[in-house]
Amino acid sequence: MSIIVDQGTRVIVQGITGREGRFHTASMLQYGTNIVAGVTPGKGGEEVEGVPVYDTAAEAVTRHQANTSIMFVPARFARSAILEAVDAGLSTIVAITEGVAHKDAIEGMARAKQRGDTIVIGPNCPGVISPSKKTKVGIMPNHIFKAGRVGIVSRSGSLTYEIAWHTTRAELGQSTCVGIGGDAIIGLDFVGALKMFRDDDETEGVVLIGEIGGNAEETAAAYIAETGYPKPVVAYIAGRMAPPGKRMGHAGAIIMGEMGTARSKIDAFAAASVPVADRPSQIVGLLRV
Amino acid sequence: MKLLEFEAKTILKEYGIPVPRGRDAGTPDEVELAAREIGGPVVLKAQIPVSGRGKAGGILFADDPAGARKMASGLLGSTIKESLVNTLLVEEALKVDKEYYLSVTIDRVAKSYVVLASIEGGVDIEQVALASPEKVSRYWTDPLSGLDKKQAREILARFDLSDDTAVELASMLTILFSAVMDKDAELVELNPLVRTTAGTFVAVDARMIIDDNALFRHEEFADRSLSREDETPLELEARKQNLAYVDLPGSTGVIGNGAGLVMATVDLVHHFGGSPANFLDIGGGGSVDINRRGLLLVLSKPEVKGVVVNIFGGITRCDFVAQAVIEAIEESGTGKPIAVSMMGTNEAEGKRMLDEAGVMNFPNMEEAVQGLLRVQGGH
């Protein structure tokens, strides 16, 4: 098994004709991802990397039985792209786009929830990769991943790579890595991913990579404690030295008053008996798998 | 983007929220004139984007225009909670009978907007919520339908309010919600909203934060978004160049790609006994030029005694970063040590370029940080 993506994943790329869309379509194809179509309004009939392009998500889905979308559309069009993907009936939507307005993200998540069976990953995320299934619906560098036993769920893109690389070098490998995104309003959250990893027989332990801002880590810690989570979890929190009130690079990473400090998150994990690494390099050593 | 109080009040007034009579003023002359127009006692409020200014001396009361002028001379140009005061809001001083609290903000967990009302205004709402939870009412809106008057009345139903007061507050809640939607606000807060001894409701203080990511559809803030009072000069310069930069108080510059990785590097510098001077996220897929400008910006800070550059390239190409580092060292003529860790796309080429140029580079971020701290000195 794996979570979210596998060989049955049939992907459409929204915004495939843009610079990012083209580049990552090639990279995903190279990795083995089954990309069946692309979508760019007004560019229907073109091809990118041998992939046919359609004007609408609905058409791409109908013609190619797609079930998953990855989007590279500019932030100002993210709202309509998410709603289009939800309405087209896709079961997984990966929104790579950075800088999506809160109001747009809120509406997108609500529409996906209303539909009931749609998982949104992101926005502002690196996507999801399952090395043993040769499937990547995301933007991560292919060569640092290796099929294996560790599930990784992370709010941070490049830090995911750093930590995945440690598990690769330690010969543990990864079952699935999912970057849930750094924004304040995201779809799939830590708890949602932890539930999936719990039921995934390929995953023997989970690395949770958090950062300052919000209280998603505290919620995850409470979930682990309350449910007696059956697999070992190790956490890492970035931003111990971040000053309050400053956005550290993106909208989600900001300490507001007492809310969202690294201390609060580290304490929550300690209370849930989840080891917290001081440095990324310590994670592998703390993971009992 | 945090609006200043007078900017928030200007917007809310347009929506029909009553605010005290008054206006903003930038000189003692303007303050005196404003006080004369208002007549009677006035309050002078420093327009700075931080809370707690009252206790820090940023809110003063004057009985007459001459007194207002004198106080303004002391307040204008002073620094309150690290913010320079260059604008005052001059308002009529009101006789307050009762204070309330109303706000609408984003709830990350609920993925929607949450409305808060309290019959105890004028103080920190979190403290009220902890000490007397019965005095605070919360309501999570349906993200697809919003907030109507009936729901607003339900929010207030737990308080023992007169009908007139309930109607008035419910009306203001729906107005606040509309303003949040229209202006793409992350927060709108009236604290306190007061009932005066004359029985009218007036928002004595107001806060409003606009979602930076939504500024593309709000031309009305185009000028405003150029200046942010809570930014340092380097942060402002970085924002003009589209660089995500935060000043920190130490002496080691930190550059990397991706907010999480840069924060982790900042933490590592501290862990190994250094003191981070900044946080600079060059983002993903940056050109040689943006990386070069980023390093030059960090090197321009006098306190910086050395810089660690930590790249894990996915979209970002290590050879581009190496080129940028080499160019920035040449251009700045800096003698400050620079230590690089680079992994990922085109790593071998990047490292070869750094080696040829004699730039310190290390196999991972920990060794880069330790290596830099060894040679940097004085941290």
Side-chain angles (χ1 to χ4, degrees), chain A residues 102-104 156 158 165 186-187 215 236 239-241 246 250 252 279 281, chain B residues 108-109 111 181 211 217 230 235 257-259 261 264 267 271 343 366:
Chain A
H102 294 313
K103 191 168 75 172
D104 298 350
S156 156
S158 47
W165 179 234
I186 54 169
N215 63 352
Y236 173 77
R240 291 167 189 237
M241 290 304 294
K246 293 279 189 183
H250 56 76
R279 295 175 268 151
S281 63
Chain B
R108 299 162 70 127
V109 177
K111 294 167 195 177
M181 291 293 116
D211 177 2
R217 57 188 170 218
D230 54 344
E235 287 169 356
N257 64 321
L261 191 67
D267 293 345
H271 178 88
M343 286 197 276
E366 290 193 9

PDB file of all heavy atoms in Angstrom, chain A residues 102-104 156 158 165 186-187 215 236 239-241 246 250 252 279 281, chain B residues 108-109 111 181 211 217 230 235 257-259 261 264 267 271 343 366:
ATOM      1  N   HIS A 102      -6.665  33.842   1.671  1.00  0.00           N
ATOM      2  CA  HIS A 102      -7.386  33.035   2.673  1.00  0.00           C
ATOM      3  C   HIS A 102      -8.826  32.769   2.257  1.00  0.00           C
ATOM      4  O   HIS A 102      -9.341  31.666   2.387  1.00  0.00           O
ATOM      5  CB  HIS A 102      -7.436  33.763   4.025  1.00  0.00           C
ATOM      6  CG  HIS A 102      -6.108  33.932   4.667  1.00  0.00           C
ATOM      7  ND1 HIS A 102      -5.196  32.919   4.784  1.00  0.00           N
ATOM      8  CD2 HIS A 102      -5.531  35.008   5.250  1.00  0.00           C
ATOM      9  CE1 HIS A 102      -4.125  33.368   5.403  1.00  0.00           C
ATOM     10  NE2 HIS A 102      -4.297  34.636   5.687  1.00  0.00           N
ATOM     11  N   LYS A 103      -9.499  33.825   1.799  1.00  0.00           N
ATOM     12  CA  LYS A 103     -10.918  33.705   1.468  1.00  0.00           C
ATOM     13  C   LYS A 103     -11.119  32.663   0.362  1.00  0.00           C
ATOM     14  O   LYS A 103     -12.052  31.868   0.409  1.00  0.00           O
ATOM     15  CB  LYS A 103     -11.469  35.074   1.030  1.00  0.00           C
ATOM     16  CG  LYS A 103     -12.972  35.109   0.922  1.00  0.00           C
ATOM     17  CD  LYS A 103     -13.492  36.533   0.777  1.00  0.00           C
ATOM     18  CE  LYS A 103     -13.248  37.060  -0.618  1.00  0.00           C
ATOM     19  NZ  LYS A 103     -13.918  38.361  -0.837  1.00  0.00           N
ATOM     20  N   ASP A 104     -10.213  32.658  -0.607  1.00  0.00           N
ATOM     21  CA  ASP A 104     -10.308  31.709  -1.723  1.00  0.00           C
ATOM     22  C   ASP A 104     -10.063  30.284  -1.242  1.00  0.00           C
ATOM     23  O   ASP A 104     -10.750  29.346  -1.651  1.00  0.00           O
ATOM     24  CB  ASP A 104      -9.293  32.067  -2.809  1.00  0.00           C
ATOM     25  CG  ASP A 104      -9.540  33.448  -3.402  1.00  0.00           C
ATOM     26  OD1 ASP A 104     -10.605  34.031  -3.096  1.00  0.00           O
ATOM     27  OD2 ASP A 104      -8.690  33.937  -4.152  1.00  0.00           O
ATOM     28  N   SER A 156       6.485  21.936   5.560  1.00  0.00           N
ATOM     29  CA  SER A 156       7.547  22.672   4.876  1.00  0.00           C
ATOM     30  C   SER A 156       8.110  21.879   3.700  1.00  0.00           C
ATOM     31  O   SER A 156       8.404  20.691   3.840  1.00  0.00           O
ATOM     32  CB  SER A 156       8.673  22.954   5.880  1.00  0.00           C
ATOM     33  OG  SER A 156       9.889  23.134   5.196  1.00  0.00           O
ATOM     34  N   SER A 158      11.108  22.378   1.463  1.00  0.00           N
ATOM     35  CA  SER A 158      12.525  22.035   1.371  1.00  0.00           C
ATOM     36  C   SER A 158      13.008  21.273   2.604  1.00  0.00           C
ATOM     37  O   SER A 158      13.925  20.463   2.527  1.00  0.00           O
ATOM     38  CB  SER A 158      13.370  23.292   1.142  1.00  0.00           C
ATOM     39  OG  SER A 158      12.973  24.303   2.025  1.00  0.00           O
ATOM     40  N   TRP A 165      15.902  12.925   2.786  1.00  0.00           N
ATOM     41  CA  TRP A 165      17.258  12.531   2.404  1.00  0.00           C
ATOM     42  C   TRP A 165      17.955  11.787   3.550  1.00  0.00           C
ATOM     43  O   TRP A 165      18.643  10.791   3.338  1.00  0.00           O
ATOM     44  CB  TRP A 165      18.028  13.785   1.985  1.00  0.00           C
ATOM     45  CG  TRP A 165      19.459  13.593   1.586  1.00  0.00           C
ATOM     46  CD1 TRP A 165      20.537  14.256   2.095  1.00  0.00           C
ATOM     47  CD2 TRP A 165      19.980  12.703   0.593  1.00  0.00           C
ATOM     48  NE1 TRP A 165      21.693  13.829   1.486  1.00  0.00           N
ATOM     49  CE2 TRP A 165      21.376  12.879   0.561  1.00  0.00           C
ATOM     50  CE3 TRP A 165      19.396  11.777  -0.267  1.00  0.00           C
ATOM     51  CZ2 TRP A 165      22.206  12.162  -0.289  1.00  0.00           C
ATOM     52  CZ3 TRP A 165      20.214  11.047  -1.124  1.00  0.00           C
ATOM     53  CH2 TRP A 165      21.609  11.241  -1.132  1.00  0.00           C
ATOM     54  N   ILE A 186      -5.350  25.137   4.915  1.00  0.00           N
ATOM     55  CA  ILE A 186      -4.949  24.031   4.040  1.00  0.00           C
ATOM     56  C   ILE A 186      -6.019  22.949   4.080  1.00  0.00           C
ATOM     57  O   ILE A 186      -6.886  22.945   4.962  1.00  0.00           O
ATOM     58  CB  ILE A 186      -3.580  23.429   4.455  1.00  0.00           C
ATOM     59  CG1 ILE A 186      -3.593  23.023   5.930  1.00  0.00           C
ATOM     60  CG2 ILE A 186      -2.456  24.398   4.144  1.00  0.00           C
ATOM     61  CD1 ILE A 186      -2.385  22.195   6.344  1.00  0.00           C
ATOM     62  N   GLY A 187      -5.929  22.025   3.125  1.00  0.00           N
ATOM     63  CA  GLY A 187      -6.891  20.929   3.082  1.00  0.00           C
ATOM     64  C   GLY A 187      -6.495  19.832   4.058  1.00  0.00           C
ATOM     65  O   GLY A 187      -6.757  19.919   5.257  1.00  0.00           O
ATOM     66  N   ASN A 215      -1.971  26.038  15.373  1.00  0.00           N
ATOM     67  CA  ASN A 215      -1.857  25.009  16.414  1.00  0.00           C
ATOM     68  C   ASN A 215      -2.095  23.609  15.845  1.00  0.00           C
ATOM     69  O   ASN A 215      -2.576  22.717  16.534  1.00  0.00           O
ATOM     70  CB  ASN A 215      -2.821  25.304  17.573  1.00  0.00           C
ATOM     71  CG  ASN A 215      -4.269  25.271  17.122  1.00  0.00           C
ATOM     72  OD1 ASN A 215      -4.557  25.184  15.929  1.00  0.00           O
ATOM     73  ND2 ASN A 215      -5.186  25.308  18.065  1.00  0.00           N
ATOM     74  N   TYR A 236       9.676  17.163  14.389  1.00  0.00           N
ATOM     75  CA  TYR A 236      10.672  18.237  14.349  1.00  0.00           C
ATOM     76  C   TYR A 236       9.904  19.539  14.133  1.00  0.00           C
ATOM     77  O   TYR A 236       8.956  19.573  13.338  1.00  0.00           O
ATOM     78  CB  TYR A 236      11.678  18.038  13.204  1.00  0.00           C
ATOM     79  CG  TYR A 236      12.601  19.221  13.050  1.00  0.00           C
ATOM     80  CD1 TYR A 236      13.656  19.412  13.924  1.00  0.00           C
ATOM     81  CD2 TYR A 236      12.378  20.179  12.064  1.00  0.00           C
ATOM     82  CE1 TYR A 236      14.476  20.529  13.833  1.00  0.00           C
ATOM     83  CE2 TYR A 236      13.195  21.297  11.959  1.00  0.00           C
ATOM     84  CZ  TYR A 236      14.244  21.462  12.848  1.00  0.00           C
ATOM     85  OH  TYR A 236      15.036  22.573  12.755  1.00  0.00           O
ATOM     86  N   GLY A 239      11.671  26.867  13.619  1.00  0.00           N
ATOM     87  CA  GLY A 239      11.292  28.236  13.993  1.00  0.00           C
ATOM     88  C   GLY A 239      11.419  28.553  15.470  1.00  0.00           C
ATOM     89  O   GLY A 239      10.770  29.466  15.967  1.00  0.00           O
ATOM     90  N   ARG A 240      12.297  27.829  16.184  1.00  0.00           N
ATOM     91  CA  ARG A 240      12.470  28.096  17.614  1.00  0.00           C
ATOM     92  C   ARG A 240      12.932  29.525  17.862  1.00  0.00           C
ATOM     93  O   ARG A 240      12.630  30.118  18.890  1.00  0.00           O
ATOM     94  CB  ARG A 240      13.518  27.144  18.198  1.00  0.00           C
ATOM     95  CG  ARG A 240      13.055  25.705  18.255  1.00  0.00           C
ATOM     96  CD  ARG A 240      14.237  24.769  18.542  1.00  0.00           C
ATOM     97  NE  ARG A 240      13.826  23.385  18.376  1.00  0.00           N
ATOM     98  CZ  ARG A 240      13.932  22.456  19.331  1.00  0.00           C
ATOM     99  NH1 ARG A 240      14.420  22.767  20.493  1.00  0.00           N
ATOM    100  NH2 ARG A 240      13.522  21.232  19.103  1.00  0.00           N
ATOM    101  N   MET A 241      13.704  30.062  16.926  1.00  0.00           N
ATOM    102  CA  MET A 241      14.277  31.399  17.116  1.00  0.00           C
ATOM    103  C   MET A 241      13.468  32.494  16.423  1.00  0.00           C
ATOM    104  O   MET A 241      13.915  33.634  16.337  1.00  0.00           O
ATOM    105  CB  MET A 241      15.708  31.414  16.552  1.00  0.00           C
ATOM    106  CG  MET A 241      16.710  30.614  17.350  1.00  0.00           C
ATOM    107  SD  MET A 241      16.768  31.163  19.060  1.00  0.00           S
ATOM    108  CE  MET A 241      17.421  32.811  18.810  1.00  0.00           C
ATOM    109  N   LYS A 246       6.280  38.303  13.167  1.00  0.00           N
ATOM    110  CA  LYS A 246       6.906  38.406  11.846  1.00  0.00           C
ATOM    111  C   LYS A 246       6.560  37.163  11.029  1.00  0.00           C
ATOM    112  O   LYS A 246       6.693  36.050  11.522  1.00  0.00           O
ATOM    113  CB  LYS A 246       8.433  38.481  11.995  1.00  0.00           C
ATOM    114  CG  LYS A 246       8.911  39.756  12.658  1.00  0.00           C
ATOM    115  CD  LYS A 246       8.959  40.891  11.671  1.00  0.00           C
ATOM    116  CE  LYS A 246       9.653  42.116  12.277  1.00  0.00           C
ATOM    117  NZ  LYS A 246       9.641  43.246  11.347  1.00  0.00           N
ATOM    118  N   HIS A 250       6.288  32.770   4.776  1.00  0.00           N
ATOM    119  CA  HIS A 250       4.967  32.567   4.184  1.00  0.00           C
ATOM    120  C   HIS A 250       3.869  32.771   5.219  1.00  0.00           C
ATOM    121  O   HIS A 250       4.131  32.869   6.421  1.00  0.00           O
ATOM    122  CB  HIS A 250       4.844  31.212   3.485  1.00  0.00           C
ATOM    123  CG  HIS A 250       5.163  30.051   4.362  1.00  0.00           C
ATOM    124  ND1 HIS A 250       4.298  29.605   5.316  1.00  0.00           N
ATOM    125  CD2 HIS A 250       6.250  29.252   4.426  1.00  0.00           C
ATOM    126  CE1 HIS A 250       4.839  28.568   5.927  1.00  0.00           C
ATOM    127  NE2 HIS A 250       6.029  28.334   5.407  1.00  0.00           N
ATOM    128  N   GLY A 252       1.578  31.199   6.771  1.00  0.00           N
ATOM    129  CA  GLY A 252       1.223  30.374   7.926  1.00  0.00           C
ATOM    130  C   GLY A 252       2.201  30.453   9.079  1.00  0.00           C
ATOM    131  O   GLY A 252       1.835  30.189  10.220  1.00  0.00           O
ATOM    132  N   ARG A 279      17.459  18.847  16.016  1.00  0.00           N
ATOM    133  CA  ARG A 279      18.026  19.142  14.698  1.00  0.00           C
ATOM    134  C   ARG A 279      17.511  18.102  13.706  1.00  0.00           C
ATOM    135  O   ARG A 279      17.263  16.960  14.098  1.00  0.00           O
ATOM    136  CB  ARG A 279      19.556  19.041  14.760  1.00  0.00           C
ATOM    137  CG  ARG A 279      20.205  20.057  15.644  1.00  0.00           C
ATOM    138  CD  ARG A 279      21.702  19.805  15.745  1.00  0.00           C
ATOM    139  NE  ARG A 279      22.045  18.956  16.863  1.00  0.00           N
ATOM    140  CZ  ARG A 279      23.104  18.134  16.904  1.00  0.00           C
ATOM    141  NH1 ARG A 279      23.891  18.050  15.847  1.00  0.00           N
ATOM    142  NH2 ARG A 279      23.348  17.404  17.954  1.00  0.00           N
ATOM    143  N   SER A 281      19.030  16.299  11.682  1.00  0.00           N
ATOM    144  CA  SER A 281      19.886  15.103  11.590  1.00  0.00           C
ATOM    145  C   SER A 281      19.594  14.092  12.704  1.00  0.00           C
ATOM    146  O   SER A 281      20.017  12.948  12.620  1.00  0.00           O
ATOM    147  CB  SER A 281      21.360  15.514  11.652  1.00  0.00           C
ATOM    148  OG  SER A 281      21.635  16.110  12.907  1.00  0.00           O
TER     149      SER A 281
ATOM    150  N   ARG B 108      -8.049  28.872  11.579  1.00  0.00           N
ATOM    151  CA  ARG B 108      -7.305  27.928  10.734  1.00  0.00           C
ATOM    152  C   ARG B 108      -7.867  26.525  10.862  1.00  0.00           C
ATOM    153  O   ARG B 108      -7.918  25.784   9.889  1.00  0.00           O
ATOM    154  CB  ARG B 108      -5.828  27.921  11.151  1.00  0.00           C
ATOM    155  CG  ARG B 108      -5.151  29.249  11.008  1.00  0.00           C
ATOM    156  CD  ARG B 108      -3.852  29.335  11.806  1.00  0.00           C
ATOM    157  NE  ARG B 108      -2.809  28.503  11.243  1.00  0.00           N
ATOM    158  CZ  ARG B 108      -1.588  28.938  10.922  1.00  0.00           C
ATOM    159  NH1 ARG B 108      -1.260  30.200  11.100  1.00  0.00           N
ATOM    160  NH2 ARG B 108      -0.691  28.132  10.446  1.00  0.00           N
ATOM    161  N   VAL B 109      -8.209  26.138  12.091  1.00  0.00           N
ATOM    162  CA  VAL B 109      -8.668  24.762  12.316  1.00  0.00           C
ATOM    163  C   VAL B 109     -10.036  24.542  11.666  1.00  0.00           C
ATOM    164  O   VAL B 109     -10.266  23.547  10.973  1.00  0.00           O
ATOM    165  CB  VAL B 109      -8.729  24.448  13.826  1.00  0.00           C
ATOM    166  CG1 VAL B 109      -9.286  23.047  14.046  1.00  0.00           C
ATOM    167  CG2 VAL B 109      -7.342  24.577  14.443  1.00  0.00           C
ATOM    168  N   LYS B 111     -11.213  26.217   9.301  1.00  0.00           N
ATOM    169  CA  LYS B 111     -11.144  26.620   7.893  1.00  0.00           C
ATOM    170  C   LYS B 111     -12.308  27.534   7.540  1.00  0.00           C
ATOM    171  O   LYS B 111     -12.989  27.350   6.530  1.00  0.00           O
ATOM    172  CB  LYS B 111     -11.102  25.391   6.972  1.00  0.00           C
ATOM    173  CG  LYS B 111      -9.839  24.599   7.165  1.00  0.00           C
ATOM    174  CD  LYS B 111      -9.875  23.230   6.526  1.00  0.00           C
ATOM    175  CE  LYS B 111      -8.721  22.409   7.102  1.00  0.00           C
ATOM    176  NZ  LYS B 111      -8.658  21.061   6.649  1.00  0.00           N
ATOM    177  N   MET B 181     -15.320  40.281   4.380  1.00  0.00           N
ATOM    178  CA  MET B 181     -15.450  39.637   3.068  1.00  0.00           C
ATOM    179  C   MET B 181     -14.995  40.585   1.958  1.00  0.00           C
ATOM    180  O   MET B 181     -14.182  40.229   1.111  1.00  0.00           O
ATOM    181  CB  MET B 181     -16.903  39.238   2.809  1.00  0.00           C
ATOM    182  CG  MET B 181     -17.410  38.113   3.677  1.00  0.00           C
ATOM    183  SD  MET B 181     -16.577  36.576   3.270  1.00  0.00           S
ATOM    184  CE  MET B 181     -15.741  36.291   4.778  1.00  0.00           C
ATOM    185  N   ASP B 211      -5.421  40.579   4.304  1.00  0.00           N
ATOM    186  CA  ASP B 211      -4.672  39.420   3.796  1.00  0.00           C
ATOM    187  C   ASP B 211      -3.742  39.872   2.666  1.00  0.00           C
ATOM    188  O   ASP B 211      -4.199  40.290   1.601  1.00  0.00           O
ATOM    189  CB  ASP B 211      -5.696  38.392   3.283  1.00  0.00           C
ATOM    190  CG  ASP B 211      -5.038  37.156   2.664  1.00  0.00           C
ATOM    191  OD1 ASP B 211      -3.796  37.069   2.663  1.00  0.00           O
ATOM    192  OD2 ASP B 211      -5.804  36.295   2.188  1.00  0.00           O
ATOM    193  N   ARG B 217      -6.471  42.137  -5.621  1.00  0.00           N
ATOM    194  CA  ARG B 217      -7.806  42.598  -5.998  1.00  0.00           C
ATOM    195  C   ARG B 217      -8.255  43.800  -5.174  1.00  0.00           C
ATOM    196  O   ARG B 217      -9.445  44.094  -5.084  1.00  0.00           O
ATOM    197  CB  ARG B 217      -8.816  41.452  -5.926  1.00  0.00           C
ATOM    198  CG  ARG B 217      -8.928  40.750  -4.597  1.00  0.00           C
ATOM    199  CD  ARG B 217      -9.826  39.508  -4.711  1.00  0.00           C
ATOM    200  NE  ARG B 217      -9.748  38.696  -3.518  1.00  0.00           N
ATOM    201  CZ  ARG B 217      -9.761  37.365  -3.529  1.00  0.00           C
ATOM    202  NH1 ARG B 217      -9.853  36.710  -4.654  1.00  0.00           N
ATOM    203  NH2 ARG B 217      -9.704  36.699  -2.398  1.00  0.00           N
ATOM    204  N   ASP B 230       5.839  48.488  10.733  1.00  0.00           N
ATOM    205  CA  ASP B 230       6.529  47.533  11.601  1.00  0.00           C
ATOM    206  C   ASP B 230       7.715  46.876  10.894  1.00  0.00           C
ATOM    207  O   ASP B 230       8.292  45.929  11.390  1.00  0.00           O
ATOM    208  CB  ASP B 230       5.561  46.473  12.143  1.00  0.00           C
ATOM    209  CG  ASP B 230       4.800  45.767  11.033  1.00  0.00           C
ATOM    210  OD1 ASP B 230       4.780  46.292   9.893  1.00  0.00           O
ATOM    211  OD2 ASP B 230       4.223  44.708  11.310  1.00  0.00           O
ATOM    212  N   GLU B 235      14.111  45.131   5.825  1.00  0.00           N
ATOM    213  CA  GLU B 235      12.929  44.338   5.482  1.00  0.00           C
ATOM    214  C   GLU B 235      12.135  45.016   4.364  1.00  0.00           C
ATOM    215  O   GLU B 235      11.622  44.355   3.459  1.00  0.00           O
ATOM    216  CB  GLU B 235      12.048  44.120   6.720  1.00  0.00           C
ATOM    217  CG  GLU B 235      12.642  43.122   7.705  1.00  0.00           C
ATOM    218  CD  GLU B 235      11.939  43.078   9.054  1.00  0.00           C
ATOM    219  OE1 GLU B 235      11.008  43.886   9.275  1.00  0.00           O
ATOM    220  OE2 GLU B 235      12.339  42.247   9.889  1.00  0.00           O
ATOM    221  N   ASN B 257      16.671  28.139   0.873  1.00  0.00           N
ATOM    222  CA  ASN B 257      15.479  28.104   0.014  1.00  0.00           C
ATOM    223  C   ASN B 257      14.367  27.325   0.701  1.00  0.00           C
ATOM    224  O   ASN B 257      14.537  26.183   1.094  1.00  0.00           O
ATOM    225  CB  ASN B 257      15.811  27.500  -1.362  1.00  0.00           C
ATOM    226  CG  ASN B 257      16.232  26.046  -1.289  1.00  0.00           C
ATOM    227  OD1 ASN B 257      16.940  25.649  -0.385  1.00  0.00           O
ATOM    228  ND2 ASN B 257      15.796  25.268  -2.247  1.00  0.00           N
ATOM    229  N   GLY B 258      13.250  27.982   0.893  1.00  0.00           N
ATOM    230  CA  GLY B 258      12.126  27.366   1.590  1.00  0.00           C
ATOM    231  C   GLY B 258      12.089  27.839   3.033  1.00  0.00           C
ATOM    232  O   GLY B 258      13.088  27.785   3.744  1.00  0.00           O
ATOM    233  N   ALA B 259      10.922  28.319   3.467  1.00  0.00           N
ATOM    234  CA  ALA B 259      10.797  28.916   4.800  1.00  0.00           C
ATOM    235  C   ALA B 259      11.195  27.929   5.902  1.00  0.00           C
ATOM    236  O   ALA B 259      11.910  28.290   6.837  1.00  0.00           O
ATOM    237  CB  ALA B 259       9.371  29.400   5.015  1.00  0.00           C
ATOM    238  N   LEU B 261      13.184  25.286   5.814  1.00  0.00           N
ATOM    239  CA  LEU B 261      14.624  25.003   5.817  1.00  0.00           C
ATOM    240  C   LEU B 261      15.401  26.193   6.378  1.00  0.00           C
ATOM    241  O   LEU B 261      16.364  26.012   7.128  1.00  0.00           O
ATOM    242  CB  LEU B 261      15.098  24.676   4.393  1.00  0.00           C
ATOM    243  CG  LEU B 261      16.512  24.108   4.276  1.00  0.00           C
ATOM    244  CD1 LEU B 261      16.600  22.732   4.914  1.00  0.00           C
ATOM    245  CD2 LEU B 261      16.953  24.031   2.816  1.00  0.00           C
ATOM    246  N   ALA B 264      14.923  26.274  10.066  1.00  0.00           N
ATOM    247  CA  ALA B 264      15.723  25.210  10.675  1.00  0.00           C
ATOM    248  C   ALA B 264      17.194  25.621  10.735  1.00  0.00           C
ATOM    249  O   ALA B 264      17.900  25.315  11.700  1.00  0.00           O
ATOM    250  CB  ALA B 264      15.560  23.919   9.874  1.00  0.00           C
ATOM    251  N   ASP B 267      17.680  28.113  13.496  1.00  0.00           N
ATOM    252  CA  ASP B 267      17.686  27.383  14.769  1.00  0.00           C
ATOM    253  C   ASP B 267      19.034  26.686  15.005  1.00  0.00           C
ATOM    254  O   ASP B 267      19.530  26.642  16.124  1.00  0.00           O
ATOM    255  CB  ASP B 267      16.557  26.342  14.795  1.00  0.00           C
ATOM    256  CG  ASP B 267      15.177  26.989  14.807  1.00  0.00           C
ATOM    257  OD1 ASP B 267      15.086  28.207  15.071  1.00  0.00           O
ATOM    258  OD2 ASP B 267      14.180  26.269  14.558  1.00  0.00           O
ATOM    259  N   HIS B 271      21.657  26.862  17.918  1.00  0.00           N
ATOM    260  CA  HIS B 271      21.988  25.618  18.614  1.00  0.00           C
ATOM    261  C   HIS B 271      23.497  25.465  18.799  1.00  0.00           C
ATOM    262  O   HIS B 271      23.961  25.013  19.846  1.00  0.00           O
ATOM    263  CB  HIS B 271      21.438  24.421  17.819  1.00  0.00           C
ATOM    264  CG  HIS B 271      21.764  23.096  18.422  1.00  0.00           C
ATOM    265  ND1 HIS B 271      20.962  22.494  19.366  1.00  0.00           N
ATOM    266  CD2 HIS B 271      22.824  22.271  18.242  1.00  0.00           C
ATOM    267  CE1 HIS B 271      21.515  21.343  19.723  1.00  0.00           C
ATOM    268  NE2 HIS B 271      22.637  21.185  19.062  1.00  0.00           N
ATOM    269  N   MET B 343      22.652  20.796  -1.766  1.00  0.00           N
ATOM    270  CA  MET B 343      22.301  19.439  -2.179  1.00  0.00           C
ATOM    271  C   MET B 343      21.207  19.527  -3.222  1.00  0.00           C
ATOM    272  O   MET B 343      20.464  20.495  -3.279  1.00  0.00           O
ATOM    273  CB  MET B 343      21.800  18.646  -0.980  1.00  0.00           C
ATOM    274  CG  MET B 343      22.913  18.243  -0.040  1.00  0.00           C
ATOM    275  SD  MET B 343      22.389  16.932   1.052  1.00  0.00           S
ATOM    276  CE  MET B 343      21.586  17.870   2.304  1.00  0.00           C
ATOM    277  N   GLU B 366      24.582  21.123   8.888  1.00  0.00           N
ATOM    278  CA  GLU B 366      25.186  21.212  10.219  1.00  0.00           C
ATOM    279  C   GLU B 366      26.670  21.555  10.133  1.00  0.00           C
ATOM    280  O   GLU B 366      27.173  22.382  10.889  1.00  0.00           O
ATOM    281  CB  GLU B 366      24.994  19.904  10.987  1.00  0.00           C
ATOM    282  CG  GLU B 366      23.558  19.701  11.385  1.00  0.00           C
ATOM    283  CD  GLU B 366      23.373  18.596  12.410  1.00  0.00           C
ATOM    284  OE1 GLU B 366      24.371  18.093  12.956  1.00  0.00           O
ATOM    285  OE2 GLU B 366      22.205  18.253  12.652  1.00  0.00           O
TER     286      GLU B 366
END
